[in-house]
């Protein structure tokens, strides 16, 4: 019996890795320009970390976590998102004491027990960034600018930025009461989840996809009309910075995000190209999170993007690399000199393939074609005696003589 991968856990095959590498490398470049450093935290954390940060009544904690007891009886969880672990590390290593402002990014696998479908998997990958220690709207706008620059560099104009404000502990309770009493009159329309969440997490009804909830919340009070003066000013300032930087955005006052720790600015990058999986990236401000996890009262803001969804948007734009040269062997006596030539060309930074199967020259040339080699060369007894061989350009079949030394072949391959 074959052993297959766990459902929803995918292999990323060589044909798919160029796209992944392109996304990762572009993110590193763009984040580097904004002064972010990479942090790598474990994929496994104590379960309590996620319950305390993400929130007990969120979809993630209620239904989606991979939680198990290890042999020592501790409850552990495969991380469903990155922020909690990064904040744990920030506190544990007192990074906030080394520098007031920390700008960190991460990339790696996340795990959620969801129903697998296009753009939704059980092991998926996120690239995320976090800024702690600065509550100024300038930082919100800078983070959004960085995200929009990342998508520009990826060559994607599709995901559109939507922003909202969720207020703060001063103004959200009053909004929450207004929403609860509004929803109280429409109980019969709400789905079971939203009815149950009335006491713990009533805001979730605003972005529930159930038809009844959409109907029930159509005229619901808007959070943006309940912001306190400070939150209102903060939200206005974020918008004015985005405007001066020319970052396009829309306001979506129903966006509530699925994690409890958010305050003030929240945002999503949404696309219509991925069906129900419309969010490509999402994030927001989390001013209470670090203190909630036992650290100092430092504000924070961050986002995470779904690498698989970005890869779907990119499609097959990233072509796999192809060899610079294929050296075909005509006769056993070529093997050793070709080995030497290939090694010297590799030292020049070139990708050179040769035969390792003992095939005929004809079938070696078929392989050169299949690999998409840019140049090819056949080396046998005659070429070794002459000290040169015909270097053939595969695209047009043209060829020229090249001496069999790397310093002579390498410049020709660059043409
Ligand atoms: P969704 O509404 O699609 O469930 P979410 O609100 O749960 O998304 P976040 O927790 O904000 O997502 O994660 C940020 C990003 O990670 C999402 O915008 C999405 O691109 C990606 N993502 C989330 N869950 C998955 C998953 N199961 N498979 C693939 N990508 C995912
Ligand atoms: Mg989700």
């Amino acid at each position: 019996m074959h052993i297959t991968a766990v459902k929803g856990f995918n292999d990323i095959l060589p044909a798919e890795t160029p796209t992944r590498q392109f996304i990762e490398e572009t993110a590193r470049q763009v984040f580097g320009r904004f002064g972010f450093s990479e942090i790598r935290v474990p994929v496994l954390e104590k379960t309590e970390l996620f319950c305390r940060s993400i929130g007990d009544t969120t979809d993630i904690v209620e239904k989606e976590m991979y939680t198990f007891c290890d042999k020592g009886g501790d409850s552990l969880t495969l991380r469903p998102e990155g922020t909690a672990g990064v904040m744990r590390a920030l506190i544990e290593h007192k990074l906030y004491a080394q520098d007031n402002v920390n700008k960190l990014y991460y990339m790696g696998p996340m795990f959620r027990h969801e129903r697998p479908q296009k753009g939704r998997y059980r092991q998926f990958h996120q690239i995320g960034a976090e800024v702690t220690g600065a509550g100024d709207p300038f930082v919100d706008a800078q983070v959004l600018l960085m995200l929009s620059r990342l998508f520009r560099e990826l060559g994607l104009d599709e995901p559109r930025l939507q922003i909202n404000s969720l207020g703060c502990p001063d103004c959200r309770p009053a909004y929450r009461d207004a929403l609860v009493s509004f929803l109280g009159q429409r109980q019969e329309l709400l789905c079971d989840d939203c009815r149950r969440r009335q006491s713990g997490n009533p805001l979730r009804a605003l972005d529930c996809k159930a038809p009844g909830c959409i109907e029930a919340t159509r005229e619901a009070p808007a959070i943006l009309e309940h912001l306190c003066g400070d939150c209102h000013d903060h939200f206005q300032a974020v918008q004015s910075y985005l405007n001066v930087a020319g970052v396009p955005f829309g306001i979506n006052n129903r966006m509530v995000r699925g994690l409890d720790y958010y305050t003030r600015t929240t945002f999503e990058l949404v696309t219509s190209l991925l069906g129900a999986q419309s969010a490509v990236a999402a994030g927001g401000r989390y001013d209470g999170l670090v203190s909630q996890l036992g650290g100092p009262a430092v504000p924070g803001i961050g986002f995470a993007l779904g690498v698989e969804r970005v890869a779907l948007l990119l499609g097959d734009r990233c072509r796999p690399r192809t060899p610079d040269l294929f050296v075909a062997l005509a006769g056993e006596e070529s093997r050793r000199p070709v080995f030497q030539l290939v090694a010297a060309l590799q030292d020049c930074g070139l990708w050179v393939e040769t035969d390792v199967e003992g095939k005929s020259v004809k079938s070696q040339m078929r392989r050169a074609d299949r690999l998409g080699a840019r140049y090819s060369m056949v080396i046998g007894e005659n070429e070794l005696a002459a000290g040169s061989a015909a270097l053939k350009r595969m695209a047009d079949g043209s060829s020229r003589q090249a001496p069999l030394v790397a310093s002579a072949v390498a410049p020709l391959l660059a043409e």
Side-chain angles (χ1 to χ4, degrees):
M1 195 178 72
H2 288 299
I3 298 175
T4 55
V6 177
K7 184 177 173 194
F9 286 62
N10 299 318
D11 299 306
I12 302 161
L13 299 175
E16 301 161 294
T17 49
T19 305
R20 301 302 182 101
Q21 288 167 351
F22 171 62
I23 298 169
E24 290 164 8
E25 280 159 21
T26 309
R28 285 184 198 287
Q29 271 176 27
V30 174
F31 295 176
R33 262 185 253 155
F34 283 77
F36 283 68
S37 311
E38 185 179 1
I39 183 166
R40 302 186 183 192
V41 295
V43 295
L44 199 63
E45 299 274 2
K46 292 178 183 159
T47 302
E48 194 193 345
L49 173 67
F50 302 114
C51 299
R52 285 247 303 267
S53 55
I54 299 170
D56 281 331
T57 57
T58 57
D59 279 355
I60 295 180
V61 173
E62 277 185 343
K63 312 185 231 181
E64 299 173 359
M65 294 208 303
Y66 276 92
T67 298
F68 62 93
C69 271
D70 75 355
K71 294 213 167 71
D74 294 319
S75 179
L76 303 178
T77 295
L78 284 171
R79 62 180 185 189
E81 58 102 51
T83 304
V86 172
M87 292 307 124
R88 188 223 13 93
L90 178 100
I91 297 167
E92 194 166 334
H93 304 285
K94 297 194 172 56
L95 299 183
Y96 53 82
Q98 292 166 29
D99 195 341
N100 289 340
V101 177
N102 279 280
K103 298 195 267 187
L104 303 167
Y105 77 87
Y106 60 86
M107 43 184 75
M110 306 293 159
F111 306 86
R112 296 185 196 177
H113 196 279
E114 304 195 68
R115 195 169 65 78
Q117 53 197 291
K118 182 181 171 195
R120 193 176 293 285
Y121 314 99
R122 290 181 172 177
Q123 174 172 332
F124 62 101
H125 296 76
Q126 288 186 338
I127 297 178
E130 320 282 356
V131 184
T132 56
D136 198 282
F138 186 95
V139 176
D140 305 39
Q142 232 181 5
V143 165
L144 289 169
L145 176 66
M146 180 166 90
L147 193 54
S148 96
R149 287 296 181 263
L150 172 58
F151 279 84
R152 189 170 81 177
E153 305 267 309
L154 289 168
L156 293 172
D157 49 12
E158 165 54 27
R160 293 175 316 281
L161 174 62
Q162 297 190 339
I163 62 172
N164 191 23
S165 174
L166 290 183
C168 68
D170 284 342
C171 53
R172 202 185 313 166
Y175 171 69
R176 201 186 133 116
D177 291 347
L179 183 66
V180 169
S181 76
F182 175 89
L183 293 175
Q185 294 149 27
R186 291 160 183 81
Q187 285 291 326
E188 69 293 349
L189 288 170
L190 298 179
C191 72
D192 290 347
D193 277 348
C194 287
R195 214 172 295 157
R196 188 171 43 79
R197 284 194 291 233
Q198 280 309 285
S199 55
N201 205 343
L203 271 65
R204 288 313 304 277
L206 291 174
D207 78 343
C208 181
K209 307 291 182 291
C213 298
I214 293 175
E215 169 70 27
T217 57
R218 209 178 291 284
E219 309 273 307
I223 178 100
L224 292 178
E225 281 153 27
H226 286 75
L227 296 181
C228 62
D230 285 350
C231 286
H232 173 84
D233 293 349
H234 185 100
F235 194 51
Q236 293 303 317
V238 173
Q239 293 176 57
S240 77
Y241 286 125
L242 292 177
N243 284 330
V244 291
V247 177
F249 64 90
I251 293 175
N252 174 0
N253 66 11
R254 298 170 71 91
M255 183 209 306
V256 300
R257 308 292 307 116
L259 296 82
D260 277 358
Y261 50 60
Y262 286 118
T263 52
R264 294 195 163 170
T265 316
T266 52
F267 50 90
E268 284 185 354
L269 281 178
V270 295
T271 176
S272 53
L273 303 176
L274 298 178
Q277 277 57 256
S278 61
V280 178
R285 187 162 268 296
Y286 46 80
D287 291 345
L289 179 59
V290 178
S291 58
Q292 200 178 307
L293 289 174
V298 293
I301 181 168
F303 65 80
L305 63 86
V307 177
E308 282 76 7
R309 295 187 193 174
V310 175
L312 284 167
L313 290 178
L314 285 169
D316 57 5
R317 280 181 220 200
C318 303
R319 303 255 125 241
R321 280 194 331 123
T322 54
D324 297 299
L325 172 66
F326 189 98
V327 182
L329 298 169
E332 260 315 295
E333 65 282 8
S334 308
R335 217 166 257 289
R336 199 193 298 266
V338 165
F339 188 89
Q340 193 187 10
L341 178 66
V342 169
L345 285 167
Q346 282 166 339
D347 287 342
C348 301
L350 295 159
W351 175 11
V352 183
E353 282 292 328
T354 186
D355 175 65
V356 289
E357 301 168 287
K359 290 273 173 75
S360 69
V361 171
K362 198 165 155 203
S363 100
Q364 291 182 56
M365 290 311 291
R366 274 203 299 272
R367 177 139 200 272
D369 248 339
R370 207 170 48 242
L371 290 174
R374 284 172 46 242
Y375 287 88
S376 71
M377 173 182 256
V378 182
I379 300 183
E381 211 176 329
N382 298 342
E383 286 78 11
L384 290 176
S388 70
L391 180 69
K392 177 170 148 195
R393 183 154 63 198
M394 301 294 275
D396 59 7
S398 66
S399 74
R400 62 206 289 187
Q401 266 326 98
L404 292 182
V405 283
S407 57
V409 177
L412 297 175
L413 295 180
E415 285 173 19

